[in-house]
Structure formats: C-alpha cells, structure tokens
Amino acid sequence: MTKHKRLSKKQLVVIEDLFNGELDEEAVLDKNRVSRNLFNRWRGDENFIGQLESRIAAAHRQSAALIAKYAPLAAAKLVRLTESEKEETARRACLDIISFPLLAGKKAPSPAESQTEDTDESDQPVQFSEQLAAKLLAVLAEEKEQ
C-alpha cells in the first residue's frame, strides 16, 4: 500500500480559490503565481484530483440541497401562474406543470433510493385540483388542435 502524501498549502489554496472566489481558473493561477505547466502536473496527481473531485461532489450536493429546498416554492409559483390574465403565461405554466413529472421520471434514482424504496413514486398518479386539471386539459386540447 502506498502512503498518500499531503497536498501542499499552495495546492490547497488554489483549490479553495477555485471554489470560493469569483475568479476563473486562469485568474486563480495568476493570483497564486502557479504556472499552467505546474497546474497541469498537479492535475496528474492522484491526491490533487481526489481533493478536487471531492470538492466538486460537495458543490453538487450543496446545489441539489438548495434546489430541493426551493422546489416547493417554485412549484407553488408555477401553479399560481396558471391563473395569470396573460393567456400565454398561463399556457406555458400549464405545459411546464405537465412536463415536470416527465422530467422528474427521467432522473435515475441514486443507489440508496433504489435499495430503500419498494414502490416507484413516479408510478403514483399526480393529484391536481379540478380547476387546474381543467386548465391543463384545455391547454392539451389547444396544443393538439395546432
């Protein structure tokens, strides 16, 4: 078994700057006085790449949590838009609502989800109020006519 060497302070600062700043990659390298060649060598280092990939995964988890947090609010606003006086806005909101279960169904479940769930929630019917269902059906009929 090989011993993992620690990343240098400079490598850690560069990774930190890549994720926490408003700077692009080139600006981060300039700020930290790291040449493109040295950075390319770092990218060939298993430890550096491991740390970088760990930070990327953490950023994706953070983004997913933020999106999940605001999804109910966004869905509620979208449903309210179906009541818009502007016909085109209401029509687009209806189409977005209709297509949402289709988009959500395309997302593959994580291994943890597939092991813990006995039933697939996408098989469950989506519940709409009668008023919203009528609007959605009207939009579908309009789309079919065109």
Side-chain angles (χ1 to χ4, degrees):
M1 179 182 341
T2 61
K3 184 178 178 183
H4 291 288
K5 67 175 187 163
R6 290 187 166 179
L7 296 180
S8 70
K9 287 182 181 179
K10 191 172 232 177
Q11 287 174 313
L12 292 171
V13 168
V14 167
I15 290 173
E16 196 68 29
D17 284 349
L18 285 170
F19 284 90
N20 290 337
E22 297 293 322
L23 304 175
D24 64 6
E25 184 177 281
E26 198 61 41
V28 168
L29 297 181
D30 289 344
K31 174 186 171 191
N32 292 289
R33 296 185 180 147
V34 173
S35 71
R36 174 57 61 185
N37 287 335
L38 177 58
F39 187 66
N40 287 339
R41 277 186 280 160
W42 287 353
R43 292 192 326 192
D45 176 14
E46 195 175 296
N47 294 324
F48 185 80
I49 290 300
Q51 181 68 26
L52 200 58
E53 287 177 353
S54 175
R55 290 296 299 269
I56 290 169
H60 283 287
R61 286 190 303 274
Q62 186 178 14
S63 297
L66 186 62
I67 290 169
K69 177 181 177 181
Y70 287 102
L73 178 63
K77 286 185 176 189
L78 191 57
V79 169
R80 281 196 302 269
L81 283 175
T82 64
E83 302 293 327
S84 175
E85 295 294 320
K86 297 179 182 176
E87 193 173 308
E88 183 62 16
T89 300
R91 186 185 74 79
R92 286 184 181 189
C94 290
L95 290 174
D96 286 345
I97 290 169
I98 291 168
S99 65
F100 179 73
L102 300 175
L103 294 173
K106 289 181 182 178
K107 182 181 173 190
S110 70
E113 291 172 334
S114 62
Q115 290 175 357
T116 59
E117 292 183 22
D118 292 333
T119 60
D120 185 2
E121 289 183 21
S122 65
D123 291 341
Q124 302 298 321
V126 177
Q127 299 294 321
F128 294 117
S129 69
E130 288 184 29
Q131 188 177 23
L132 180 56
K135 284 188 176 194
L136 294 173
L137 289 172
V139 168
L140 285 173
E142 181 182 315
E143 286 291 313
K144 192 171 185 176
E145 289 174 4
Q146 292 177 356

